[in-house]
Amino acid sequence: LTSVLFPHGDRRRSHHAQRSREHRRHHQKRHGHSVQQTELCRRRSPSPTEDETRIMDDIEMNSHLLLGQINNVLDTVRLDEGCLGANVEDVDVYDVVALVRRVAEPLSLRQGVSFTATVQPCIPIVRADREMLRRISMNLVGNAVRYTDAGGSVALCLSWRAGVLVIDVRDTGAGIAPEEIPFVFDRFVSKPGSQHTGEGGTGLGLSIVKRYAEAVGGSVEVRSELGCGGQFVVELPLETAAHPEEEDR
């Protein structure tokens, strides 16, 4: 019989990591059930009315948003405990943007905000955590849409620069005062005067973005002026996936 002893701190981090994974699987299962029910309703109504379509779209979008809020809370716990485990795999950023658009487009439509998503050509397949890339992009886009008035616009752009994936989100919202910029990545910080508690309803979205970026050696920068909208730029140094011919060597 072989026993392995862990320091108290390691045991505690391992316990929290396991609980976090269990909670995430539970909520993802419930989220998947909600989306499946919505898809079933769509199939049963081949010619839905405008109201029925809007209701089904709202259910699906709200399910995605709720899961995002729950994941923000769970990931904050994991980051605090130092037990963030990355699931690194080959990722096509076009797939990541498609996942973001699925939630961002109906959200921006409901807010009366124009949303565009662009992937610059020649971005290679990267080695990264797909969910991390999606969460960074969605938190930034969701935050921008939330604080942009009807008639405004939000733009997401992914590009590649010398081994660095750049995620750029710009909006035409109210902007941020210079004295408030140093605090935008703090937890539970929201735009002054706003009735929202913060990103995704938890006030953790931008904090998660910053901590995710720094966890992989990246950075996030905010550029904004009051009344002139805002821009968030995340830079992530990532390895590229090996080409098949390279793997055979």
Side-chain angles (χ1 to χ4, degrees), residues 104 108-109 111-116 145 148-155 170 172:
S108 58
L109 182 64
Q111 295 286 101
V113 173
S114 169
F115 172 69
T116 59
V145 171
T148 299
D149 291 335
S153 64
V154 172
R170 307 184 186 200
T172 60

Side-chain angles (χ1 to χ4, degrees), residues 119-180:
V119 178
Q120 296 295 325
C122 301
I123 297 182
I125 303 297
V126 297
R127 295 286 297 166
D129 186 319
R130 184 190 310 272
E131 178 63 9
M132 181 192 72
L133 296 182
R134 187 195 69 81
R135 298 278 304 289
I136 288 175
S137 301
M138 190 62 236
N139 276 333
L140 290 177
V141 169
N143 183 73
V145 171
R146 192 165 292 106
Y147 296 128
T148 299
D149 291 335
S153 64
V154 172
L156 165 67
C157 179
L158 272 65
S159 60
W160 183 256
R161 184 171 61 238
V164 175
L165 179 66
V166 180
I167 301 174
D168 186 320
V169 175
R170 307 184 186 200
D171 67 71
T172 60
I176 306 170
E179 65 272 16
E180 295 163 2

